[in-house]
Amino acid sequence: FKLILLSMSEDWSWIWWSSLLAVSVVNFGWYAVAVRNQQKGDISTADKSYYTVMRRAALPFILVCAYRGWFPTIYLSRSVLIDSGFSSILLARGLASVAEVCWVFQIASALSRVNSDLALQLQLTAPPSLESSSRRCMCCCRGDRVVQMVSVLLVLLICAAECFSCTATVTTDSLYFMLEEGSWVVGFTMVLPCSIYLVLQLRKLKTRGVAVPRRVQIFCILLMVCMIVYVPWGWTMDVPANYRRWQNDTVHHKQYNTFKKGLEQAANFRVPTRSWDVW
């Protein structure tokens, strides 16, 4: 009976692993379609530059997702599904850091670009009775500068989060994982009101009869919905869970790795397991 359960556990692990690979294939296909669509038709120089930056930022994320799907790892326990040098915990964490910063850079770039475009459209379609000085004042008071500032701060916060995560992976100190997750939650807490602001700007443009591209509408609404779901979850579940784990380690006097020893261990030490309970 135990052998049957073990076999079933391993089967579930392989099914999960296969699904990760399938998602990676879908990601590459979606990326190829996006690149092809962006190359169709006449686009402005500014749009062409923007699309190029977004494609270049997307590619590392997609590649690392495929790599992580092929070689799954768990940082603290050093667990790996595939026992290979490519499953190095240190390598996985380093590549994940690059991918996550690229992903957040895309979000921040889109946030900044959409905010600028909407602000310009609102300025151009302002009631004709208003003088130009009043229009400029209204533009400054809309919160556009705040959104631009948040888009920069978001990337900086996630860069800090990745430093915390790499430190936690090397030392196995959960305090740094808590700081990492806290940085993510703080960053997207700032994005939440910005996303609501952009949706309100969309509504204002619609009342003026301005046609807003569908992709812009989808981005603003999807960003707002994701932030409404993620931010409360982050503050009530994610950060507290990491805090409790750190407190538990402290109570039990867990011995952390020195940075030098941790680097060597994270690079070379692995615990192969196919147990579904682990994954």
Side-chain angles (χ1 to χ4, degrees), residues 12 35 42 53 132 134 157 169 214 220-221 239 248-249 258:
W12 279 113
V35 171
D42 295 329
V53 169
S132 59
S134 299
L157 266 173
T169 300
R214 185 172 179 80
C220 294
I221 294 172
V239 173
N248 184 65
D249 290 346
T258 63

Side-chain angles (χ1 to χ4, degrees), residues 3-18 81 274-276:
L3 290 176
I4 293 175
L5 289 179
L6 178 61
S7 177
M8 290 178 62
S9 177
E10 291 190 359
D11 287 344
W12 279 113
S13 296
W14 289 122
I15 291 172
W16 168 73
W17 179 72
S18 300
L81 185 67
R274 292 170 178 77
S275 171
W276 178 239

Side-chain angles (χ1 to χ4, degrees), residues 76 78 166-174 176 254-259 262:
L76 281 178
R78 310 308 198 212
C166 289
T167 302
T169 300
V170 170
T171 64
T172 68
D173 188 345
S174 295
Y176 293 102
K254 178 180 177 180
Q255 295 297 313
Y256 304 120
N257 291 330
T258 63
F259 204 82

Side-chain angles (χ1 to χ4, degrees), residues 75-127:
Y75 302 140
L76 281 178
S77 64
R78 310 308 198 212
S79 301
V80 301
L81 185 67
I82 309 296
D83 190 11
S84 164
F86 290 106
S87 293
S88 166
I89 303 297
L90 186 62
L91 176 62
R93 182 58 259 173
L95 292 177
S97 295
V98 173
E100 289 170 12
V101 170
C102 287
W103 179 65
V104 168
F105 174 77
Q106 283 185 286
I107 296 175
S109 297
L111 183 67
S112 175
R113 175 64 183 268
V114 169
N115 176 63
S116 298
D117 288 350
L118 293 182
L120 179 61
Q121 287 296 322
L122 284 167
Q123 187 176 8
L124 293 175
T125 58

Side-chain angles (χ1 to χ4, degrees), residues 248-266:
N248 184 65
D249 290 346
T250 302
V251 169
H252 291 87
H253 305 288
K254 178 180 177 180
Q255 295 297 313
Y256 304 120
N257 291 330
T258 63
F259 204 82
K260 182 178 179 181
K261 177 183 177 182
L263 280 174
E264 182 179 354
Q265 186 196 66

Side-chain angles (χ1 to χ4, degrees), residues 145-188:
R145 292 181 179 178
V146 173
V147 177
Q148 297 298 109
M149 182 175 64
V150 166
S151 65
V152 175
L153 289 176
L154 178 63
V155 176
L156 295 177
L157 266 173
I158 300 311
C159 287
E162 297 311 311
C163 292
F164 290 137
S165 183
C166 289
T167 302
T169 300
V170 170
T171 64
T172 68
D173 188 345
S174 295
L175 170 64
Y176 293 102
F177 277 129
M178 183 187 72
L179 293 174
E180 177 210 4
E181 296 304 316
S183 298
W184 280 91
V185 176
V186 168
F188 284 118

